[in-house]
Amino acid sequence: MRVEGPLLIVQLLETAFLNLVNYASLVTTNAARHRQVAGNNKMLLEFGLRRAQGPDGGISASKYCYIGGFDGTSNVDAGRRFGIPVRGTHSHAFVSSFMGAEEIHDRSLCYSNGDGKCDDFIGLTQYWLGKLQETEAFLGLFMEANQSELAAFASYALSFPTKFQALVDTFDVMRSGIPNFCAVALALHKLGYKALGIRLDSGDLAYLSKQCRRVFSIIEKEFGVPGFRSLSITASNDIKVETLEALNKQGHEIDALGIGTHLVTCSSQPALGCVYKLVEIKSQPRMKLSEDIEKVTIPCKKEVYRLYGVEGFALVDIMTGIDEPAPKIHERILCRHPFIESKRAYVAPTKVEKLYKCYWAGKSGITAEPLPALEDVRSRCKAQLAAMRSDHLRVLNPTPYKVSVTLQLYDFIHYLWLNEAPVGELR
């Protein structure tokens, strides 16, 4: 990011810019890492609002997770503000709040096609639970299904017959949650509706997901319900990157993952250390020196370009002085490490992308571009990650992505360094 203007004003902007850029980059990167490990065929849902650093952190985290590749959020306010798809299920408290079916007074539910009405949907779910308990494959397994949980599921289905998804681990997943869910799902099927699926929030997620899929498969075959086997299985419960890696190794039947605490708090790296430095004043280059090489700044106003190779992957970013010509496609250019003399390479790029764009023109007379919509930012993030080699993105010992300078800028950096650095005296 390049900021130009009166010194006092741009200095006052430092904390605001760093606060906005650091957290946004950190959370978006963390979300992208979770997406990379989970794979593109899994739905990822952000469930982090309750654990985020305050309400503002929760709202912004939902936005940045969506940019980083998540498919939806449980944060309804973020959905309202930014148009992010909202996803979620009922809570354990909802299930626990029911004492029995007698608490449900309006038990009627219209058929999905509007042709008629079932006057006792609760009775229909109880009928199907009985059918499941009598099924040979489930003998002895479903006999302990909790009746208050069945009432809770049925009540939820009465309110959301087209969006029925149940949290099945309030009492016992296989002995109560799954039979009660399946009974309600089969009752909905009789009325022309299709349940969405279940959510697992505790236990051995890989094992339970495979057991649930097995039950769904048996029901599809036993009762002739097309598509029952493929009902969605969502998993949550303190999931992080390491959990995703373990699930992949074990094998599982999970279709969607709800991730909260470790996603929005970035527990593996709680802060990002971006900096904001003066590099030019009154058209004169300025340079900060340090005994720590990573803290030495690169002076003067610059342009930045991304150079792509023959396979379509990004090879290197190169900084040029503001008056230098831009790199050209198929024209060989020497890329130098800013500080290590031996690190250098020629690149003949197949594509050159200018990275700086002006979004706030002030009084410069430059034509500013409109800020991109959230979907455009999300698409760019996805495209940029796809343009990176896999070794740059791997979790363990990734190859550092190269950032270089032109020969002209390299020479100027070291000329200025020698002129600015005091000369020691030995006695």
Side-chain angles (χ1 to χ4, degrees), residues 46 49 55-67 71 73 75-86 372-378:
E46 179 268 313
L49 180 58
D56 180 68
I59 293 292
S60 56
S62 298
K63 178 181 179 181
Y64 303 141
C65 290
Y66 186 63
I67 291 172
D71 300 292
T73 178
N75 186 339
V76 178
D77 193 23
R80 177 186 64 84
R81 292 178 187 227
F82 308 123
I84 302 171
V86 176
L374 183 63
E375 288 295 338
D376 295 330
V377 178
R378 173 180 162 88

PDB file of all heavy atoms in Angstrom, residues 46 49 55-67 71 73 75-86 372-378:
ATOM      1  N   GLU A  46     -18.331 -20.145   8.876  1.00  0.00           N
ATOM      2  CA  GLU A  46     -17.685 -19.408   9.960  1.00  0.00           C
ATOM      3  C   GLU A  46     -18.650 -19.311  11.136  1.00  0.00           C
ATOM      4  O   GLU A  46     -19.724 -18.750  11.017  1.00  0.00           O
ATOM      5  CB  GLU A  46     -17.271 -18.020   9.447  1.00  0.00           C
ATOM      6  CG  GLU A  46     -16.612 -17.150  10.491  1.00  0.00           C
ATOM      7  CD  GLU A  46     -17.614 -16.270  11.211  1.00  0.00           C
ATOM      8  OE1 GLU A  46     -18.456 -15.632  10.543  1.00  0.00           O
ATOM      9  OE2 GLU A  46     -17.567 -16.245  12.457  1.00  0.00           O
ATOM     10  N   LEU A  49     -18.431 -15.852  15.993  1.00  0.00           N
ATOM     11  CA  LEU A  49     -18.827 -14.588  16.624  1.00  0.00           C
ATOM     12  C   LEU A  49     -18.702 -14.625  18.142  1.00  0.00           C
ATOM     13  O   LEU A  49     -18.252 -13.661  18.760  1.00  0.00           O
ATOM     14  CB  LEU A  49     -20.260 -14.232  16.216  1.00  0.00           C
ATOM     15  CG  LEU A  49     -20.821 -12.939  16.808  1.00  0.00           C
ATOM     16  CD1 LEU A  49     -19.951 -11.749  16.442  1.00  0.00           C
ATOM     17  CD2 LEU A  49     -22.256 -12.711  16.330  1.00  0.00           C
ATOM     18  N   PRO A  55     -17.576  -7.359  19.488  1.00  0.00           N
ATOM     19  CA  PRO A  55     -18.542  -7.395  18.390  1.00  0.00           C
ATOM     20  C   PRO A  55     -17.971  -6.898  17.065  1.00  0.00           C
ATOM     21  O   PRO A  55     -18.295  -7.432  16.007  1.00  0.00           O
ATOM     22  CB  PRO A  55     -19.681  -6.495  18.884  1.00  0.00           C
ATOM     23  CG  PRO A  55     -19.090  -5.673  19.987  1.00  0.00           C
ATOM     24  CD  PRO A  55     -18.031  -6.518  20.609  1.00  0.00           C
ATOM     25  N   ASP A  56     -17.109  -5.863  17.110  1.00  0.00           N
ATOM     26  CA  ASP A  56     -16.535  -5.375  15.860  1.00  0.00           C
ATOM     27  C   ASP A  56     -15.614  -6.415  15.245  1.00  0.00           C
ATOM     28  O   ASP A  56     -15.621  -6.634  14.035  1.00  0.00           O
ATOM     29  CB  ASP A  56     -15.775  -4.068  16.095  1.00  0.00           C
ATOM     30  CG  ASP A  56     -15.175  -3.527  14.811  1.00  0.00           C
ATOM     31  OD1 ASP A  56     -15.947  -3.117  13.926  1.00  0.00           O
ATOM     32  OD2 ASP A  56     -13.944  -3.537  14.673  1.00  0.00           O
ATOM     33  N   GLY A  57     -14.813  -7.074  16.102  1.00  0.00           N
ATOM     34  CA  GLY A  57     -13.954  -8.143  15.609  1.00  0.00           C
ATOM     35  C   GLY A  57     -14.763  -9.285  15.019  1.00  0.00           C
ATOM     36  O   GLY A  57     -14.367  -9.892  14.025  1.00  0.00           O
ATOM     37  N   GLY A  58     -15.911  -9.563  15.612  1.00  0.00           N
ATOM     38  CA  GLY A  58     -16.765 -10.633  15.108  1.00  0.00           C
ATOM     39  C   GLY A  58     -17.363 -10.308  13.757  1.00  0.00           C
ATOM     40  O   GLY A  58     -17.392 -11.140  12.850  1.00  0.00           O
ATOM     41  N   ILE A  59     -17.844  -9.065  13.601  1.00  0.00           N
ATOM     42  CA  ILE A  59     -18.451  -8.654  12.326  1.00  0.00           C
ATOM     43  C   ILE A  59     -17.400  -8.651  11.219  1.00  0.00           C
ATOM     44  O   ILE A  59     -17.613  -9.184  10.129  1.00  0.00           O
ATOM     45  CB  ILE A  59     -19.091  -7.253  12.456  1.00  0.00           C
ATOM     46  CG1 ILE A  59     -20.294  -7.291  13.402  1.00  0.00           C
ATOM     47  CG2 ILE A  59     -19.508  -6.723  11.088  1.00  0.00           C
ATOM     48  CD1 ILE A  59     -21.480  -8.062  12.876  1.00  0.00           C
ATOM     49  N   SER A  60     -16.240  -8.041  11.499  1.00  0.00           N
ATOM     50  CA  SER A  60     -15.212  -7.958  10.460  1.00  0.00           C
ATOM     51  C   SER A  60     -14.625  -9.336  10.155  1.00  0.00           C
ATOM     52  O   SER A  60     -14.320  -9.633   8.998  1.00  0.00           O
ATOM     53  CB  SER A  60     -14.114  -6.976  10.874  1.00  0.00           C
ATOM     54  OG  SER A  60     -13.558  -7.326  12.121  1.00  0.00           O
ATOM     55  N   ALA A  61     -14.485 -10.197  11.162  1.00  0.00           N
ATOM     56  CA  ALA A  61     -13.954 -11.542  10.919  1.00  0.00           C
ATOM     57  C   ALA A  61     -14.850 -12.318   9.959  1.00  0.00           C
ATOM     58  O   ALA A  61     -14.355 -13.046   9.093  1.00  0.00           O
ATOM     59  CB  ALA A  61     -13.800 -12.294  12.234  1.00  0.00           C
ATOM     60  N   SER A  62     -16.156 -12.171  10.089  1.00  0.00           N
ATOM     61  CA  SER A  62     -17.074 -12.850   9.174  1.00  0.00           C
ATOM     62  C   SER A  62     -16.804 -12.424   7.738  1.00  0.00           C
ATOM     63  O   SER A  62     -16.794 -13.244   6.811  1.00  0.00           O
ATOM     64  CB  SER A  62     -18.524 -12.531   9.548  1.00  0.00           C
ATOM     65  OG  SER A  62     -18.826 -12.993  10.845  1.00  0.00           O
ATOM     66  N   LYS A  63     -16.585 -11.139   7.552  1.00  0.00           N
ATOM     67  CA  LYS A  63     -16.301 -10.601   6.217  1.00  0.00           C
ATOM     68  C   LYS A  63     -14.987 -11.143   5.666  1.00  0.00           C
ATOM     69  O   LYS A  63     -14.915 -11.592   4.518  1.00  0.00           O
ATOM     70  CB  LYS A  63     -16.255  -9.072   6.306  1.00  0.00           C
ATOM     71  CG  LYS A  63     -15.917  -8.354   5.008  1.00  0.00           C
ATOM     72  CD  LYS A  63     -15.876  -6.852   5.261  1.00  0.00           C
ATOM     73  CE  LYS A  63     -15.514  -6.079   4.015  1.00  0.00           C
ATOM     74  NZ  LYS A  63     -15.450  -4.626   4.263  1.00  0.00           N
ATOM     75  N   TYR A  64     -13.936 -11.137   6.488  1.00  0.00           N
ATOM     76  CA  TYR A  64     -12.625 -11.561   6.012  1.00  0.00           C
ATOM     77  C   TYR A  64     -12.578 -13.075   5.776  1.00  0.00           C
ATOM     78  O   TYR A  64     -11.880 -13.535   4.865  1.00  0.00           O
ATOM     79  CB  TYR A  64     -11.546 -11.137   7.011  1.00  0.00           C
ATOM     80  CG  TYR A  64     -11.531  -9.647   7.289  1.00  0.00           C
ATOM     81  CD1 TYR A  64     -11.301  -9.149   8.573  1.00  0.00           C
ATOM     82  CD2 TYR A  64     -11.790  -8.724   6.269  1.00  0.00           C
ATOM     83  CE1 TYR A  64     -11.305  -7.789   8.829  1.00  0.00           C
ATOM     84  CE2 TYR A  64     -11.803  -7.367   6.514  1.00  0.00           C
ATOM     85  CZ  TYR A  64     -11.565  -6.898   7.804  1.00  0.00           C
ATOM     86  OH  TYR A  64     -11.578  -5.553   8.061  1.00  0.00           O
ATOM     87  N   CYS A  65     -13.307 -13.837   6.583  1.00  0.00           N
ATOM     88  CA  CYS A  65     -13.367 -15.287   6.352  1.00  0.00           C
ATOM     89  C   CYS A  65     -14.050 -15.594   5.021  1.00  0.00           C
ATOM     90  O   CYS A  65     -13.652 -16.508   4.293  1.00  0.00           O
ATOM     91  CB  CYS A  65     -14.101 -15.983   7.494  1.00  0.00           C
ATOM     92  SG  CYS A  65     -13.190 -16.003   9.051  1.00  0.00           S
ATOM     93  N   TYR A  66     -15.071 -14.814   4.699  1.00  0.00           N
ATOM     94  CA  TYR A  66     -15.764 -14.995   3.417  1.00  0.00           C
ATOM     95  C   TYR A  66     -14.815 -14.679   2.265  1.00  0.00           C
ATOM     96  O   TYR A  66     -14.766 -15.407   1.268  1.00  0.00           O
ATOM     97  CB  TYR A  66     -16.991 -14.098   3.378  1.00  0.00           C
ATOM     98  CG  TYR A  66     -17.867 -14.295   2.161  1.00  0.00           C
ATOM     99  CD1 TYR A  66     -18.495 -15.513   1.920  1.00  0.00           C
ATOM    100  CD2 TYR A  66     -18.066 -13.262   1.245  1.00  0.00           C
ATOM    101  CE1 TYR A  66     -19.295 -15.706   0.803  1.00  0.00           C
ATOM    102  CE2 TYR A  66     -18.869 -13.438   0.133  1.00  0.00           C
ATOM    103  CZ  TYR A  66     -19.478 -14.656  -0.085  1.00  0.00           C
ATOM    104  OH  TYR A  66     -20.269 -14.831  -1.195  1.00  0.00           O
ATOM    105  N   ILE A  67     -14.034 -13.607   2.396  1.00  0.00           N
ATOM    106  CA  ILE A  67     -13.050 -13.271   1.370  1.00  0.00           C
ATOM    107  C   ILE A  67     -12.049 -14.410   1.214  1.00  0.00           C
ATOM    108  O   ILE A  67     -11.657 -14.767   0.098  1.00  0.00           O
ATOM    109  CB  ILE A  67     -12.325 -11.960   1.733  1.00  0.00           C
ATOM    110  CG1 ILE A  67     -13.280 -10.764   1.640  1.00  0.00           C
ATOM    111  CG2 ILE A  67     -11.116 -11.734   0.816  1.00  0.00           C
ATOM    112  CD1 ILE A  67     -12.695  -9.466   2.163  1.00  0.00           C
ATOM    113  N   ASP A  71     -17.822 -20.307   2.869  1.00  0.00           N
ATOM    114  CA  ASP A  71     -19.062 -20.249   2.094  1.00  0.00           C
ATOM    115  C   ASP A  71     -20.190 -19.512   2.792  1.00  0.00           C
ATOM    116  O   ASP A  71     -21.152 -19.099   2.134  1.00  0.00           O
ATOM    117  CB  ASP A  71     -19.540 -21.678   1.773  1.00  0.00           C
ATOM    118  CG  ASP A  71     -18.506 -22.442   0.962  1.00  0.00           C
ATOM    119  OD1 ASP A  71     -18.292 -22.071  -0.200  1.00  0.00           O
ATOM    120  OD2 ASP A  71     -17.906 -23.384   1.499  1.00  0.00           O
ATOM    121  N   THR A  73     -21.725 -17.823   6.980  1.00  0.00           N
ATOM    122  CA  THR A  73     -21.477 -17.452   8.370  1.00  0.00           C
ATOM    123  C   THR A  73     -22.738 -17.668   9.190  1.00  0.00           C
ATOM    124  O   THR A  73     -23.855 -17.602   8.663  1.00  0.00           O
ATOM    125  CB  THR A  73     -21.031 -15.983   8.473  1.00  0.00           C
ATOM    126  OG1 THR A  73     -20.848 -15.636   9.852  1.00  0.00           O
ATOM    127  CG2 THR A  73     -22.065 -15.031   7.881  1.00  0.00           C
ATOM    128  N   ASN A  75     -23.247 -15.581  11.549  1.00  0.00           N
ATOM    129  CA  ASN A  75     -23.411 -14.206  12.009  1.00  0.00           C
ATOM    130  C   ASN A  75     -24.463 -13.508  11.143  1.00  0.00           C
ATOM    131  O   ASN A  75     -24.174 -13.046  10.033  1.00  0.00           O
ATOM    132  CB  ASN A  75     -22.059 -13.479  11.924  1.00  0.00           C
ATOM    133  CG  ASN A  75     -22.092 -12.089  12.516  1.00  0.00           C
ATOM    134  OD1 ASN A  75     -23.144 -11.483  12.651  1.00  0.00           O
ATOM    135  ND2 ASN A  75     -20.918 -11.577  12.839  1.00  0.00           N
ATOM    136  N   VAL A  76     -25.673 -13.417  11.641  1.00  0.00           N
ATOM    137  CA  VAL A  76     -26.783 -12.874  10.852  1.00  0.00           C
ATOM    138  C   VAL A  76     -26.554 -11.404  10.510  1.00  0.00           C
ATOM    139  O   VAL A  76     -26.899 -10.948   9.412  1.00  0.00           O
ATOM    140  CB  VAL A  76     -28.126 -13.070  11.604  1.00  0.00           C
ATOM    141  CG1 VAL A  76     -29.274 -12.460  10.816  1.00  0.00           C
ATOM    142  CG2 VAL A  76     -28.377 -14.553  11.848  1.00  0.00           C
ATOM    143  N   ASP A  77     -25.955 -10.646  11.440  1.00  0.00           N
ATOM    144  CA  ASP A  77     -25.715  -9.235  11.172  1.00  0.00           C
ATOM    145  C   ASP A  77     -24.693  -9.057  10.046  1.00  0.00           C
ATOM    146  O   ASP A  77     -24.829  -8.169   9.203  1.00  0.00           O
ATOM    147  CB  ASP A  77     -25.239  -8.529  12.447  1.00  0.00           C
ATOM    148  CG  ASP A  77     -25.264  -7.013  12.319  1.00  0.00           C
ATOM    149  OD1 ASP A  77     -26.030  -6.496  11.473  1.00  0.00           O
ATOM    150  OD2 ASP A  77     -24.533  -6.336  13.059  1.00  0.00           O
ATOM    151  N   ALA A  78     -23.663  -9.900  10.011  1.00  0.00           N
ATOM    152  CA  ALA A  78     -22.699  -9.844   8.911  1.00  0.00           C
ATOM    153  C   ALA A  78     -23.384 -10.192   7.591  1.00  0.00           C
ATOM    154  O   ALA A  78     -23.070  -9.608   6.542  1.00  0.00           O
ATOM    155  CB  ALA A  78     -21.537 -10.794   9.177  1.00  0.00           C
ATOM    156  N   GLY A  79     -24.309 -11.145   7.635  1.00  0.00           N
ATOM    157  CA  GLY A  79     -25.068 -11.466   6.436  1.00  0.00           C
ATOM    158  C   GLY A  79     -25.876 -10.281   5.946  1.00  0.00           C
ATOM    159  O   GLY A  79     -25.951  -9.994   4.745  1.00  0.00           O
ATOM    160  N   ARG A  80     -26.478  -9.544   6.886  1.00  0.00           N
ATOM    161  CA  ARG A  80     -27.277  -8.368   6.521  1.00  0.00           C
ATOM    162  C   ARG A  80     -26.394  -7.263   5.958  1.00  0.00           C
ATOM    163  O   ARG A  80     -26.741  -6.631   4.965  1.00  0.00           O
ATOM    164  CB  ARG A  80     -28.017  -7.862   7.759  1.00  0.00           C
ATOM    165  CG  ARG A  80     -28.837  -6.590   7.535  1.00  0.00           C
ATOM    166  CD  ARG A  80     -29.425  -6.072   8.838  1.00  0.00           C
ATOM    167  NE  ARG A  80     -28.386  -5.650   9.781  1.00  0.00           N
ATOM    168  CZ  ARG A  80     -27.816  -4.451   9.755  1.00  0.00           C
ATOM    169  NH1 ARG A  80     -28.149  -3.568   8.833  1.00  0.00           N
ATOM    170  NH2 ARG A  80     -26.891  -4.135  10.644  1.00  0.00           N
ATOM    171  N   ARG A  81     -25.248  -7.034   6.581  1.00  0.00           N
ATOM    172  CA  ARG A  81     -24.383  -5.926   6.172  1.00  0.00           C
ATOM    173  C   ARG A  81     -23.690  -6.184   4.840  1.00  0.00           C
ATOM    174  O   ARG A  81     -23.572  -5.292   4.004  1.00  0.00           O
ATOM    175  CB  ARG A  81     -23.304  -5.677   7.233  1.00  0.00           C
ATOM    176  CG  ARG A  81     -23.801  -5.142   8.553  1.00  0.00           C
ATOM    177  CD  ARG A  81     -22.629  -5.001   9.515  1.00  0.00           C
ATOM    178  NE  ARG A  81     -23.062  -4.640  10.854  1.00  0.00           N
ATOM    179  CZ  ARG A  81     -22.499  -3.671  11.572  1.00  0.00           C
ATOM    180  NH1 ARG A  81     -21.520  -2.957  11.064  1.00  0.00           N
ATOM    181  NH2 ARG A  81     -22.926  -3.414  12.788  1.00  0.00           N
ATOM    182  N   PHE A  82     -23.187  -7.399   4.656  1.00  0.00           N
ATOM    183  CA  PHE A  82     -22.296  -7.663   3.531  1.00  0.00           C
ATOM    184  C   PHE A  82     -22.869  -8.608   2.487  1.00  0.00           C
ATOM    185  O   PHE A  82     -22.213  -8.861   1.474  1.00  0.00           O
ATOM    186  CB  PHE A  82     -20.974  -8.252   4.047  1.00  0.00           C
ATOM    187  CG  PHE A  82     -20.330  -7.447   5.144  1.00  0.00           C
ATOM    188  CD1 PHE A  82     -20.034  -8.024   6.376  1.00  0.00           C
ATOM    189  CD2 PHE A  82     -20.030  -6.107   4.966  1.00  0.00           C
ATOM    190  CE1 PHE A  82     -19.442  -7.303   7.390  1.00  0.00           C
ATOM    191  CE2 PHE A  82     -19.439  -5.363   5.976  1.00  0.00           C
ATOM    192  CZ  PHE A  82     -19.147  -5.958   7.191  1.00  0.00           C
ATOM    193  N   GLY A  83     -24.055  -9.155   2.726  1.00  0.00           N
ATOM    194  CA  GLY A  83     -24.630 -10.089   1.765  1.00  0.00           C
ATOM    195  C   GLY A  83     -23.994 -11.462   1.807  1.00  0.00           C
ATOM    196  O   GLY A  83     -24.081 -12.225   0.837  1.00  0.00           O
ATOM    197  N   ILE A  84     -23.340 -11.816   2.920  1.00  0.00           N
ATOM    198  CA  ILE A  84     -22.730 -13.143   3.070  1.00  0.00           C
ATOM    199  C   ILE A  84     -23.840 -14.162   3.342  1.00  0.00           C
ATOM    200  O   ILE A  84     -24.717 -13.908   4.166  1.00  0.00           O
ATOM    201  CB  ILE A  84     -21.720 -13.146   4.226  1.00  0.00           C
ATOM    202  CG1 ILE A  84     -20.632 -12.097   3.981  1.00  0.00           C
ATOM    203  CG2 ILE A  84     -21.094 -14.525   4.410  1.00  0.00           C
ATOM    204  CD1 ILE A  84     -19.715 -11.889   5.170  1.00  0.00           C
ATOM    205  N   PRO A  85     -23.840 -15.313   2.688  1.00  0.00           N
ATOM    206  CA  PRO A  85     -24.854 -16.333   2.980  1.00  0.00           C
ATOM    207  C   PRO A  85     -24.829 -16.719   4.455  1.00  0.00           C
ATOM    208  O   PRO A  85     -23.759 -16.914   5.041  1.00  0.00           O
ATOM    209  CB  PRO A  85     -24.438 -17.516   2.097  1.00  0.00           C
ATOM    210  CG  PRO A  85     -23.660 -16.895   0.971  1.00  0.00           C
ATOM    211  CD  PRO A  85     -22.944 -15.716   1.570  1.00  0.00           C
ATOM    212  N   VAL A  86     -26.008 -16.814   5.068  1.00  0.00           N
ATOM    213  CA  VAL A  86     -26.130 -17.146   6.489  1.00  0.00           C
ATOM    214  C   VAL A  86     -26.518 -18.616   6.623  1.00  0.00           C
ATOM    215  O   VAL A  86     -27.465 -19.075   5.988  1.00  0.00           O
ATOM    216  CB  VAL A  86     -27.176 -16.242   7.176  1.00  0.00           C
ATOM    217  CG1 VAL A  86     -27.364 -16.655   8.634  1.00  0.00           C
ATOM    218  CG2 VAL A  86     -26.743 -14.782   7.098  1.00  0.00           C
ATOM    219  N   PRO A 372     -13.683  -2.253  -5.163  1.00  0.00           N
ATOM    220  CA  PRO A 372     -14.368  -3.449  -5.663  1.00  0.00           C
ATOM    221  C   PRO A 372     -15.399  -3.968  -4.679  1.00  0.00           C
ATOM    222  O   PRO A 372     -15.272  -3.787  -3.471  1.00  0.00           O
ATOM    223  CB  PRO A 372     -13.221  -4.455  -5.847  1.00  0.00           C
ATOM    224  CG  PRO A 372     -12.161  -3.994  -4.906  1.00  0.00           C
ATOM    225  CD  PRO A 372     -12.271  -2.498  -4.844  1.00  0.00           C
ATOM    226  N   ALA A 373     -16.418  -4.613  -5.216  1.00  0.00           N
ATOM    227  CA  ALA A 373     -17.439  -5.240  -4.376  1.00  0.00           C
ATOM    228  C   ALA A 373     -16.834  -6.441  -3.641  1.00  0.00           C
ATOM    229  O   ALA A 373     -15.800  -6.982  -4.049  1.00  0.00           O
ATOM    230  CB  ALA A 373     -18.618  -5.686  -5.239  1.00  0.00           C
ATOM    231  N   LEU A 374     -17.497  -6.849  -2.565  1.00  0.00           N
ATOM    232  CA  LEU A 374     -16.988  -7.952  -1.751  1.00  0.00           C
ATOM    233  C   LEU A 374     -16.787  -9.216  -2.584  1.00  0.00           C
ATOM    234  O   LEU A 374     -15.780  -9.918  -2.436  1.00  0.00           O
ATOM    235  CB  LEU A 374     -17.948  -8.231  -0.589  1.00  0.00           C
ATOM    236  CG  LEU A 374     -17.518  -9.318   0.395  1.00  0.00           C
ATOM    237  CD1 LEU A 374     -16.231  -8.923   1.108  1.00  0.00           C
ATOM    238  CD2 LEU A 374     -18.623  -9.597   1.409  1.00  0.00           C
ATOM    239  N   GLU A 375     -17.713  -9.525  -3.470  1.00  0.00           N
ATOM    240  CA  GLU A 375     -17.587 -10.727  -4.303  1.00  0.00           C
ATOM    241  C   GLU A 375     -16.368 -10.637  -5.213  1.00  0.00           C
ATOM    242  O   GLU A 375     -15.715 -11.647  -5.491  1.00  0.00           O
ATOM    243  CB  GLU A 375     -18.860 -10.938  -5.123  1.00  0.00           C
ATOM    244  CG  GLU A 375     -20.058 -11.389  -4.319  1.00  0.00           C
ATOM    245  CD  GLU A 375     -19.883 -12.776  -3.705  1.00  0.00           C
ATOM    246  OE1 GLU A 375     -19.053 -13.558  -4.220  1.00  0.00           O
ATOM    247  OE2 GLU A 375     -20.560 -13.082  -2.714  1.00  0.00           O
ATOM    248  N   ASP A 376     -16.056  -9.418  -5.696  1.00  0.00           N
ATOM    249  CA  ASP A 376     -14.876  -9.247  -6.545  1.00  0.00           C
ATOM    250  C   ASP A 376     -13.590  -9.444  -5.741  1.00  0.00           C
ATOM    251  O   ASP A 376     -12.626 -10.039  -6.236  1.00  0.00           O
ATOM    252  CB  ASP A 376     -14.886  -7.851  -7.178  1.00  0.00           C
ATOM    253  CG  ASP A 376     -16.049  -7.661  -8.143  1.00  0.00           C
ATOM    254  OD1 ASP A 376     -16.476  -8.662  -8.740  1.00  0.00           O
ATOM    255  OD2 ASP A 376     -16.533  -6.523  -8.277  1.00  0.00           O
ATOM    256  N   VAL A 377     -13.582  -8.956  -4.501  1.00  0.00           N
ATOM    257  CA  VAL A 377     -12.415  -9.149  -3.634  1.00  0.00           C
ATOM    258  C   VAL A 377     -12.227 -10.642  -3.358  1.00  0.00           C
ATOM    259  O   VAL A 377     -11.106 -11.166  -3.410  1.00  0.00           O
ATOM    260  CB  VAL A 377     -12.585  -8.376  -2.319  1.00  0.00           C
ATOM    261  CG1 VAL A 377     -11.399  -8.624  -1.389  1.00  0.00           C
ATOM    262  CG2 VAL A 377     -12.720  -6.880  -2.588  1.00  0.00           C
ATOM    263  N   ARG A 378     -13.322 -11.317  -3.065  1.00  0.00           N
ATOM    264  CA  ARG A 378     -13.281 -12.765  -2.800  1.00  0.00           C
ATOM    265  C   ARG A 378     -12.759 -13.528  -4.026  1.00  0.00           C
ATOM    266  O   ARG A 378     -11.912 -14.420  -3.906  1.00  0.00           O
ATOM    267  CB  ARG A 378     -14.689 -13.227  -2.427  1.00  0.00           C
ATOM    268  CG  ARG A 378     -14.883 -14.731  -2.283  1.00  0.00           C
ATOM    269  CD  ARG A 378     -16.337 -14.984  -1.900  1.00  0.00           C
ATOM    270  NE  ARG A 378     -16.762 -16.360  -2.131  1.00  0.00           N
ATOM    271  CZ  ARG A 378     -16.633 -17.339  -1.252  1.00  0.00           C
ATOM    272  NH1 ARG A 378     -16.090 -17.086  -0.088  1.00  0.00           N
ATOM    273  NH2 ARG A 378     -17.051 -18.543  -1.540  1.00  0.00           N
TER     274      ARG A 378
END
